[in-house]
Amino acid sequence: MTQYFSAQWSRVSTVAAITILLAACGKGQQAAAPAVADKAASPPPVAVVDGVPISRDAFQDYLKGLLRGKSESEVTAEDKDKVLDQMINMQLIAAQADKDGLEKDPDVATRLALVRTQILADAAAQKYVKSHEPTDQELHAAYDAATDKTEYRASHILVPTKEKAAQVIKKLKGVAKFEDVAKAESTDNSKANGGDLGWFTTARMVKPFGDAVKGLKVGETTTEPVQTQYGWHVIKLVDTRDAPFDQLKGQLTNGIMQKKFQDYIDSLKKTAKIEKKL
């Protein structure tokens, strides 16, 4: 992990870096220093640089940005010390920028204003999402109305050429069983299971494969080879069903929240005076 953190300095997000800059410049110095009333409740800072504290919350937020979704349990004490050194370096550089008056530089001011807007917009969006989570009634209504919840169970035989696929189809039109031909001819790992791919939605498959599956009735096999980037397929549709509600719950939640948030933005636009001047 140490090398990972060493390499991350050049790739750290602009938002994270400028957040530190804001903490060291002008108004940011006041925001960085904890209020007297909060001293008892607030955890001690992870460092103090020339009287300006680096809060534990800021450290944790910066660390999460570097981890990019990885577990913090993988981070060693040495890694955390390196991250803290990075934050101290930023604090020192930001303080020098403040002394040099760079906050008043037009380019810097523009970037600071943009990052401030992004942070506030993100905070407002998170607040809205948390207070408008879909109800069970909304989720079940969305599930009942969904048109793309069909799951398919199919088997396939994958071969390298169209000619080979045509030969496989000819065998299947005879007395050969699909499972036996798959075990003997298929180049896919599913051959061990007779070509069985289990349950899936067509969204998980490459388009030519998904389209071919949709065109089959249960028990049918493709009469023409199906080409994808993996080779040539002969496909048999075994069964269909509606995906279970719990399996689609996350997808349904995202869809509902996207619509709610877009409606919220549209409502804000209706009461705002917007003038485009590009």
Side-chain angles (χ1 to χ4, degrees):
M1 290 292 290
T2 301
Q3 290 182 346
Y4 171 79
F5 281 118
S6 298
Q8 282 299 309
W9 165 251
S10 61
R11 297 195 295 271
V12 67
S13 71
T14 302
V15 173
I18 295 183
T19 299
I20 302 299
L21 179 60
L22 285 169
C25 295
K27 297 177 182 178
Q29 285 191 350
Q30 296 175 6
V36 175
D38 294 336
K39 279 186 177 180
S42 300
V46 290
V48 179
V49 182
D50 289 334
V52 179
I54 297 177
S55 73
R56 198 162 298 271
D57 287 343
F59 175 81
Q60 290 297 331
D61 192 57
Y62 184 70
L63 179 61
K64 286 179 183 178
L66 292 176
L67 287 172
R68 297 174 184 265
K70 293 185 178 181
S71 173
E72 191 175 333
S73 62
E74 300 179 47
V75 184
T76 66
E78 181 183 0
D79 292 331
K80 289 185 177 181
D81 191 57
K82 286 183 177 295
V83 172
L84 181 56
D85 283 342
Q86 288 181 4
M87 293 191 74
I88 290 171
N89 291 342
M90 280 195 293
Q91 188 75 51
L92 289 168
I93 296 169
Q96 186 60 49
D98 187 35
K99 292 176 183 177
D100 294 342
L102 293 182
E103 188 179 6
K104 297 177 182 178
D105 180 277
D107 290 340
V108 175
T110 298
R111 290 165 62 195
L112 286 171
L114 176 60
V115 171
R116 180 180 183 276
T117 300
Q118 290 173 331
I119 292 173
L120 288 173
D122 182 63
Q126 290 187 35
K127 179 183 178 182
Y128 180 87
V129 167
K130 287 179 181 178
S131 59
H132 292 79
E133 293 182 355
T135 63
D136 284 343
Q137 184 178 357
E138 289 175 319
L139 288 167
H140 281 283
Y143 175 79
D144 292 339
T147 58
D148 58 349
K149 60 186 176 185
T150 303
E151 280 192 319
Y152 300 84
R153 184 168 186 175
S155 298
H156 81 141
I157 299 168
L158 178 65
V159 292
T161 66
K162 185 177 182 180
E163 292 74 22
K164 184 65 176 178
Q167 292 174 14
V168 167
I169 291 173
K170 189 175 180 179
K171 284 185 180 181
L172 294 173
K173 287 181 178 179
V175 296
K177 290 184 178 180
F178 193 97
E179 295 79 4
D180 293 338
V181 177
K183 290 177 180 178
E185 305 284 357
S186 184
T187 61
D188 187 62
N189 291 335
S190 63
K191 66 184 296 181
N193 300 319
D196 186 7
L197 296 170
W199 290 99
F200 58 86
T201 60
T202 54
R204 288 175 49 198
M205 298 297 182
V206 290
K207 192 174 187 304
F209 192 99
D211 289 345
V213 169
K214 286 181 180 179
L216 293 172
K217 293 180 181 178
V218 173
E220 284 186 342
T221 301
T222 50
T223 57
E224 295 292 333
V226 178
Q227 185 182 22
T228 71
Q229 64 263 46
Y230 303 106
W232 293 85
H233 307 258
V234 180
I235 307 167
K236 179 181 178 180
L237 179 59
V238 178
D239 202 358
T240 63
R241 70 180 184 186
D242 282 346
F245 171 79
D246 288 342
Q247 183 175 312
L248 294 182
K249 189 174 180 180
Q251 178 182 325
L252 294 169
T253 298
N254 290 338
I256 292 171
M257 288 311 307
Q258 286 176 10
K259 186 180 184 308
K260 282 187 176 184
F261 191 65
Q262 185 58 54
D263 290 344
Y264 173 59
I265 292 175
D266 291 342
S267 70
L268 293 177
K269 286 183 176 180
K270 287 180 181 178
T271 58
K273 183 179 180 180
I274 301 173
E275 299 176 49
K276 293 185 177 181
K277 298 184 178 181
L278 282 178

